[in-house]
Amino acid sequence: MRALAVLSPSLYEKTDARKRHLFAIDQHQIPLGFVTANPPDFDTNATTTANYVLVRKTSFSLNYRDLGIIEQAWKKVRDMEQETFYPIGSDFCGIVEEVGSNVTTLQVGDKVIGNNFFPYPEDNAMPGIPSNHASREFEIYHHGKLMKVPDEIPEEQAGSMSIGAQTAAAMIRKANIKDGDVVLVTSVTSNTSFFFLNLLKDKNCTVYGLSYSGKNTDTVKRHFPFIKEIFSFKDMVFPDHLYFDVVLDAFADTYLTALCSRLNFNARYLTCGVYNQSSEKMKTTEKINLTTLIADLMFRNVQLIANCLGTGEDLKNGIDGFKNDTLVIDQVFTDENALTSFLEKTYNSEGNKFGKVSFKYS
């Protein structure tokens, strides 16, 4: 069984150079690498596995949230003398290999992804992301933590979509977008925003984008031609008459305070994350005046909605949005590629990434 993992120093030294990489987060140089281990045992007749299934992963991808997991895992293994590792990964696609005796919703051969429903239990399963170790080639899941995906969605796309599609569908549902609303999507070249845009295409609203880097905006407009205009965050020059009814924002610590003055009365501002996720960045990030922020929001009767993931129905609706439209994939990597290339492309070291980055097991 293969997995991408945070490695203890001694294990990193023994790992093949093409399958390892020192990954920088703030001042840390964190050893990552592919490891092999025994797959988990799964007894289809045991009572302990009656509600569970064994999944063989065919693809996985890393998300922005994995940065915090990588940092915390490194703090656990960095001082260990023995060879050990902590598998990482949030999104995956896999094939059901074995099913427990009580499982009726899945069968061997089904193509599945993780169901991250939150905050309430569904199908007698616990809420939240099914695994922080999604790169593990074999993993056991409660059947309620999985959702079948249509065969027409390729594995590299399916293995990159569950968290983004579920989150985006939940936020658009909560935004209650009305005909004629003016909608702003921030960080318009980010992965999360691509999920927003794919689900906005059939809405009767006017969509604008906001870009922090200014890169790849022409490509975004070609892929999503319904976007009326993309503005630069560094310039923050909007037409005098333009105010937004809905803002869909992946990084609240970057955009919220800057956009307050551009919100319409009774606007809905929805966010699902922060940019400064590492412990060092959280310490050094610029502080905001909370009193001024709340006063600005109250004056405009703005609804500020912080969102974490979504329901199982949100995931289903998110997947349906990609049955006829391709999820934007920048590049697919395999065992033939160096790990460094996969990680640098995933986290956009060159600043030229457009879409998700997938790793396929062959």
Side-chain angles (χ1 to χ4, degrees), residues 82-98:
Q82 68 268 36
E83 297 176 8
T84 189
F85 58 89
Y86 184 97
I88 60 174
S90 297
D91 273 321
F92 67 89
C93 175
I95 304 299
V96 174
E97 295 284 304
E98 302 281 356

Side-chain angles (χ1 to χ4, degrees), residues 192-207:
T192 302
S193 293
F194 289 168
F195 287 102
F196 293 146
L197 292 166
N198 194 74
L199 296 175
L200 285 170
K201 65 182 183 298
D202 297 323
K203 297 285 187 181
N204 185 22
C205 60
T206 303
V207 179

Side-chain angles (χ1 to χ4, degrees), residues 89 260 342:
C260 272
F342 170 68

Side-chain angles (χ1 to χ4, degrees), residues 78-141:
R78 62 186 174 186
D79 296 323
M80 293 184 178
E81 295 182 2
Q82 68 268 36
E83 297 176 8
T84 189
F85 58 89
Y86 184 97
I88 60 174
S90 297
D91 273 321
F92 67 89
C93 175
I95 304 299
V96 174
E97 295 284 304
E98 302 281 356
V99 298
S101 57
N102 289 346
V103 178
T104 59
T105 55
L106 296 171
Q107 60 185 4
V108 173
D110 283 343
K111 182 165 70 173
V112 294
I113 61 176
N115 187 346
N116 318 280
F117 54 81
F118 188 84
Y120 304 110
E122 297 183 20
D123 293 325
N124 295 313
M126 294 297 292
I129 292 174
S131 174
N132 288 329
H133 320 291
S135 67
R136 293 180 63 181
E137 194 172 5
F138 290 88
E139 199 162 12
I140 296 171
Y141 296 97

Side-chain angles (χ1 to χ4, degrees), residues 174-193:
K174 295 175 183 178
N176 190 26
I177 297 172
K178 302 176 179 65
D179 288 352
D181 273 351
V182 179
V183 178
L184 177 68
V185 177
T186 69
S187 285
V188 74
T189 60
S190 70
N191 291 327
T192 302
S193 293

